[in-house]
Amino acid sequence: MRLLVIEDDPTIAEPLRTGLLREGFEVDLVDTGADALAAGACDLVLLDLGLPDLDGRVVCRHLRERSNVPIIVVTARGEEVDRVTLLELGADDYVVKPFGFRELVARIRAVLRRTGGDRLRDGDALRIDVGRLQIDTRTRNVSYDGRPVALTPKEHDLLVYLARDPDAVHTREQIIDVVWDENWWGSTKTLDVHIASLRKKLAPEIIETVRGVGFRLVDAATST
Ligand code: CA
């Protein structure tokens, strides 16, 4: 995995590069927006918003205009961060300085998993059909047995994750790692709440608990 790190502060950039290399990433480091826009292809972009030459937001928008590469924006504490604006610019996630290295790596891996191979090409709708369940990941429309189902964003992400590999058992750790960005110790109960909510909104039997391991989505067409 090749990361493009755009960071003009060498006291951040150098240790970051060293750490990321140690994590097994390849790292291209640039310190200006112009160099960022001239850089070659990569698997993920880590973009500092405060750059010496160009506004990081402009860089983000330009990068997004020409590719679907996942982008994590790095902002300084106190900088006015409008999450909605960042998402509109095409960022996939953001971290605020000073950030912990482990947290950053967890976020990088989460974004890579979430976007890996699933990026839409040329605006094609990506449909998932499992038995009576239908998901359009582009419009985020979900229906079950032909009935539209309204889900929260996290419920949707969780369902999509399970439905991409139906019948496979996913451990709690895997699910939390991929679907939640936050520290997972805080999320174990959150996962149960979301599973319960999906069962209620879809069908109780659609998600099976594999005791002591995790969960799996069951193909509803064949299970009944
Ligand atoms: Ca900076």
Side-chain angles (χ1 to χ4, degrees), residues 33 37 47 49 51 54-65 89:
L37 294 176
L47 168 66
L49 274 196
L51 295 170
L54 296 172
D55 184 332
R57 293 167 180 82
V58 174
V59 176
C60 186
R61 203 178 62 230
H62 280 304
L63 289 173
R64 176 55 72 239
E65 272 167 10
L89 288 172

PDB file of all heavy atoms in Angstrom, residues 33 37 47 49 51 54-65 89:
ATOM      1  N   GLY A  33       1.273  21.769  -1.760  1.00  0.00           N
ATOM      2  CA  GLY A  33       0.095  21.369  -2.517  1.00  0.00           C
ATOM      3  C   GLY A  33       0.435  21.101  -3.977  1.00  0.00           C
ATOM      4  O   GLY A  33      -0.095  20.170  -4.590  1.00  0.00           O
ATOM      5  N   LEU A  37      -0.239  17.633  -6.075  1.00  0.00           N
ATOM      6  CA  LEU A  37      -1.032  17.485  -7.292  1.00  0.00           C
ATOM      7  C   LEU A  37      -0.200  16.885  -8.423  1.00  0.00           C
ATOM      8  O   LEU A  37      -0.750  16.347  -9.375  1.00  0.00           O
ATOM      9  CB  LEU A  37      -1.619  18.841  -7.711  1.00  0.00           C
ATOM     10  CG  LEU A  37      -2.646  19.395  -6.721  1.00  0.00           C
ATOM     11  CD1 LEU A  37      -3.124  20.775  -7.145  1.00  0.00           C
ATOM     12  CD2 LEU A  37      -3.837  18.447  -6.578  1.00  0.00           C
ATOM     13  N   LEU A  47      -3.619  14.213   4.016  1.00  0.00           N
ATOM     14  CA  LEU A  47      -3.475  15.594   3.572  1.00  0.00           C
ATOM     15  C   LEU A  47      -3.580  16.591   4.718  1.00  0.00           C
ATOM     16  O   LEU A  47      -4.639  16.730   5.345  1.00  0.00           O
ATOM     17  CB  LEU A  47      -4.574  15.884   2.526  1.00  0.00           C
ATOM     18  CG  LEU A  47      -4.802  17.333   2.119  1.00  0.00           C
ATOM     19  CD1 LEU A  47      -3.591  17.894   1.379  1.00  0.00           C
ATOM     20  CD2 LEU A  47      -6.055  17.444   1.238  1.00  0.00           C
ATOM     21  N   LEU A  49      -4.168  20.146   6.011  1.00  0.00           N
ATOM     22  CA  LEU A  49      -4.931  21.256   5.397  1.00  0.00           C
ATOM     23  C   LEU A  49      -4.127  22.542   5.316  1.00  0.00           C
ATOM     24  O   LEU A  49      -4.322  23.362   4.427  1.00  0.00           O
ATOM     25  CB  LEU A  49      -6.211  21.516   6.197  1.00  0.00           C
ATOM     26  CG  LEU A  49      -7.454  20.699   5.872  1.00  0.00           C
ATOM     27  CD1 LEU A  49      -8.673  21.372   6.473  1.00  0.00           C
ATOM     28  CD2 LEU A  49      -7.648  20.477   4.382  1.00  0.00           C
ATOM     29  N   LEU A  51      -1.176  24.160   4.275  1.00  0.00           N
ATOM     30  CA  LEU A  51       0.017  24.024   3.428  1.00  0.00           C
ATOM     31  C   LEU A  51       0.538  25.407   3.048  1.00  0.00           C
ATOM     32  O   LEU A  51      -0.227  26.379   3.045  1.00  0.00           O
ATOM     33  CB  LEU A  51      -0.332  23.227   2.154  1.00  0.00           C
ATOM     34  CG  LEU A  51      -0.723  21.770   2.408  1.00  0.00           C
ATOM     35  CD1 LEU A  51      -1.284  21.137   1.145  1.00  0.00           C
ATOM     36  CD2 LEU A  51       0.482  20.974   2.925  1.00  0.00           C
ATOM     37  N   LEU A  54      -0.853  26.181  -1.272  1.00  0.00           N
ATOM     38  CA  LEU A  54      -2.264  26.104  -1.663  1.00  0.00           C
ATOM     39  C   LEU A  54      -3.112  25.772  -0.454  1.00  0.00           C
ATOM     40  O   LEU A  54      -2.648  25.145   0.495  1.00  0.00           O
ATOM     41  CB  LEU A  54      -2.468  24.985  -2.704  1.00  0.00           C
ATOM     42  CG  LEU A  54      -1.778  25.127  -4.055  1.00  0.00           C
ATOM     43  CD1 LEU A  54      -1.927  23.843  -4.857  1.00  0.00           C
ATOM     44  CD2 LEU A  54      -2.397  26.285  -4.831  1.00  0.00           C
ATOM     45  N   ASP A  55      -4.361  26.179  -0.489  1.00  0.00           N
ATOM     46  CA  ASP A  55      -5.313  25.792   0.555  1.00  0.00           C
ATOM     47  C   ASP A  55      -5.529  24.277   0.445  1.00  0.00           C
ATOM     48  O   ASP A  55      -5.802  23.766  -0.639  1.00  0.00           O
ATOM     49  CB  ASP A  55      -6.627  26.549   0.309  1.00  0.00           C
ATOM     50  CG  ASP A  55      -7.659  26.290   1.412  1.00  0.00           C
ATOM     51  OD1 ASP A  55      -7.626  25.213   2.033  1.00  0.00           O
ATOM     52  OD2 ASP A  55      -8.497  27.180   1.630  1.00  0.00           O
ATOM     53  N   GLY A  56      -5.379  23.594   1.573  1.00  0.00           N
ATOM     54  CA  GLY A  56      -5.557  22.139   1.568  1.00  0.00           C
ATOM     55  C   GLY A  56      -6.905  21.715   1.020  1.00  0.00           C
ATOM     56  O   GLY A  56      -7.043  20.645   0.423  1.00  0.00           O
ATOM     57  N   ARG A  57      -7.913  22.560   1.224  1.00  0.00           N
ATOM     58  CA  ARG A  57      -9.245  22.223   0.708  1.00  0.00           C
ATOM     59  C   ARG A  57      -9.252  22.174  -0.811  1.00  0.00           C
ATOM     60  O   ARG A  57      -9.919  21.347  -1.429  1.00  0.00           O
ATOM     61  CB  ARG A  57     -10.275  23.247   1.200  1.00  0.00           C
ATOM     62  CG  ARG A  57     -10.509  23.186   2.696  1.00  0.00           C
ATOM     63  CD  ARG A  57     -11.269  24.407   3.181  1.00  0.00           C
ATOM     64  NE  ARG A  57     -11.491  24.352   4.613  1.00  0.00           N
ATOM     65  CZ  ARG A  57     -10.582  24.720   5.514  1.00  0.00           C
ATOM     66  NH1 ARG A  57      -9.414  25.187   5.126  1.00  0.00           N
ATOM     67  NH2 ARG A  57     -10.828  24.616   6.797  1.00  0.00           N
ATOM     68  N   VAL A  58      -8.498  23.083  -1.403  1.00  0.00           N
ATOM     69  CA  VAL A  58      -8.402  23.117  -2.877  1.00  0.00           C
ATOM     70  C   VAL A  58      -7.679  21.868  -3.369  1.00  0.00           C
ATOM     71  O   VAL A  58      -8.092  21.225  -4.345  1.00  0.00           O
ATOM     72  CB  VAL A  58      -7.659  24.396  -3.329  1.00  0.00           C
ATOM     73  CG1 VAL A  58      -7.409  24.380  -4.831  1.00  0.00           C
ATOM     74  CG2 VAL A  58      -8.468  25.628  -2.932  1.00  0.00           C
ATOM     75  N   VAL A  59      -6.601  21.516  -2.652  1.00  0.00           N
ATOM     76  CA  VAL A  59      -5.857  20.306  -3.010  1.00  0.00           C
ATOM     77  C   VAL A  59      -6.776  19.091  -2.927  1.00  0.00           C
ATOM     78  O   VAL A  59      -6.811  18.246  -3.826  1.00  0.00           O
ATOM     79  CB  VAL A  59      -4.636  20.127  -2.083  1.00  0.00           C
ATOM     80  CG1 VAL A  59      -3.909  18.822  -2.386  1.00  0.00           C
ATOM     81  CG2 VAL A  59      -3.678  21.310  -2.223  1.00  0.00           C
ATOM     82  N   CYS A  60      -7.543  19.021  -1.848  1.00  0.00           N
ATOM     83  CA  CYS A  60      -8.458  17.899  -1.648  1.00  0.00           C
ATOM     84  C   CYS A  60      -9.450  17.796  -2.804  1.00  0.00           C
ATOM     85  O   CYS A  60      -9.662  16.727  -3.373  1.00  0.00           O
ATOM     86  CB  CYS A  60      -9.203  18.084  -0.325  1.00  0.00           C
ATOM     87  SG  CYS A  60     -10.248  16.699   0.141  1.00  0.00           S
ATOM     88  N   ARG A  61     -10.013  18.939  -3.162  1.00  0.00           N
ATOM     89  CA  ARG A  61     -11.014  18.922  -4.226  1.00  0.00           C
ATOM     90  C   ARG A  61     -10.406  18.495  -5.556  1.00  0.00           C
ATOM     91  O   ARG A  61     -10.982  17.707  -6.300  1.00  0.00           O
ATOM     92  CB  ARG A  61     -11.675  20.301  -4.342  1.00  0.00           C
ATOM     93  CG  ARG A  61     -13.048  20.235  -4.986  1.00  0.00           C
ATOM     94  CD  ARG A  61     -13.711  21.588  -5.058  1.00  0.00           C
ATOM     95  NE  ARG A  61     -12.955  22.501  -5.876  1.00  0.00           N
ATOM     96  CZ  ARG A  61     -12.598  23.732  -5.513  1.00  0.00           C
ATOM     97  NH1 ARG A  61     -12.948  24.191  -4.337  1.00  0.00           N
ATOM     98  NH2 ARG A  61     -11.910  24.492  -6.321  1.00  0.00           N
ATOM     99  N   HIS A  62      -9.200  19.009  -5.845  1.00  0.00           N
ATOM    100  CA  HIS A  62      -8.529  18.635  -7.100  1.00  0.00           C
ATOM    101  C   HIS A  62      -8.202  17.144  -7.142  1.00  0.00           C
ATOM    102  O   HIS A  62      -8.383  16.494  -8.157  1.00  0.00           O
ATOM    103  CB  HIS A  62      -7.248  19.449  -7.295  1.00  0.00           C
ATOM    104  CG  HIS A  62      -7.505  20.827  -7.818  1.00  0.00           C
ATOM    105  ND1 HIS A  62      -8.208  21.053  -8.986  1.00  0.00           N
ATOM    106  CD2 HIS A  62      -7.168  22.042  -7.344  1.00  0.00           C
ATOM    107  CE1 HIS A  62      -8.286  22.360  -9.194  1.00  0.00           C
ATOM    108  NE2 HIS A  62      -7.665  22.988  -8.206  1.00  0.00           N
ATOM    109  N   LEU A  63      -7.711  16.631  -6.010  1.00  0.00           N
ATOM    110  CA  LEU A  63      -7.387  15.199  -5.959  1.00  0.00           C
ATOM    111  C   LEU A  63      -8.640  14.369  -6.205  1.00  0.00           C
ATOM    112  O   LEU A  63      -8.622  13.388  -6.947  1.00  0.00           O
ATOM    113  CB  LEU A  63      -6.782  14.831  -4.598  1.00  0.00           C
ATOM    114  CG  LEU A  63      -5.361  15.329  -4.312  1.00  0.00           C
ATOM    115  CD1 LEU A  63      -4.987  15.040  -2.863  1.00  0.00           C
ATOM    116  CD2 LEU A  63      -4.361  14.689  -5.270  1.00  0.00           C
ATOM    117  N   ARG A  64      -9.730  14.784  -5.570  1.00  0.00           N
ATOM    118  CA  ARG A  64     -10.973  14.035  -5.690  1.00  0.00           C
ATOM    119  C   ARG A  64     -11.545  14.111  -7.106  1.00  0.00           C
ATOM    120  O   ARG A  64     -12.140  13.169  -7.601  1.00  0.00           O
ATOM    121  CB  ARG A  64     -11.995  14.547  -4.646  1.00  0.00           C
ATOM    122  CG  ARG A  64     -13.359  13.930  -4.714  1.00  0.00           C
ATOM    123  CD  ARG A  64     -13.341  12.389  -4.628  1.00  0.00           C
ATOM    124  NE  ARG A  64     -13.014  11.898  -3.315  1.00  0.00           N
ATOM    125  CZ  ARG A  64     -11.967  11.096  -3.060  1.00  0.00           C
ATOM    126  NH1 ARG A  64     -11.181  10.679  -4.034  1.00  0.00           N
ATOM    127  NH2 ARG A  64     -11.719  10.682  -1.851  1.00  0.00           N
ATOM    128  N   GLU A  65     -11.345  15.260  -7.754  1.00  0.00           N
ATOM    129  CA  GLU A  65     -11.883  15.423  -9.107  1.00  0.00           C
ATOM    130  C   GLU A  65     -11.276  14.425 -10.075  1.00  0.00           C
ATOM    131  O   GLU A  65     -11.900  14.012 -11.038  1.00  0.00           O
ATOM    132  CB  GLU A  65     -11.605  16.839  -9.624  1.00  0.00           C
ATOM    133  CG  GLU A  65     -12.708  17.820  -9.236  1.00  0.00           C
ATOM    134  CD  GLU A  65     -12.303  19.270  -9.449  1.00  0.00           C
ATOM    135  OE1 GLU A  65     -11.243  19.523 -10.074  1.00  0.00           O
ATOM    136  OE2 GLU A  65     -13.039  20.138  -8.982  1.00  0.00           O
ATOM    137  N   LEU A  89     -15.960  17.961   0.056  1.00  0.00           N
ATOM    138  CA  LEU A  89     -14.740  18.099  -0.738  1.00  0.00           C
ATOM    139  C   LEU A  89     -14.207  16.742  -1.190  1.00  0.00           C
ATOM    140  O   LEU A  89     -13.324  16.668  -2.028  1.00  0.00           O
ATOM    141  CB  LEU A  89     -13.649  18.800   0.089  1.00  0.00           C
ATOM    142  CG  LEU A  89     -13.839  20.278   0.360  1.00  0.00           C
ATOM    143  CD1 LEU A  89     -12.796  20.763   1.352  1.00  0.00           C
ATOM    144  CD2 LEU A  89     -13.763  21.077  -0.931  1.00  0.00           C
TER     145      LEU A  89
END
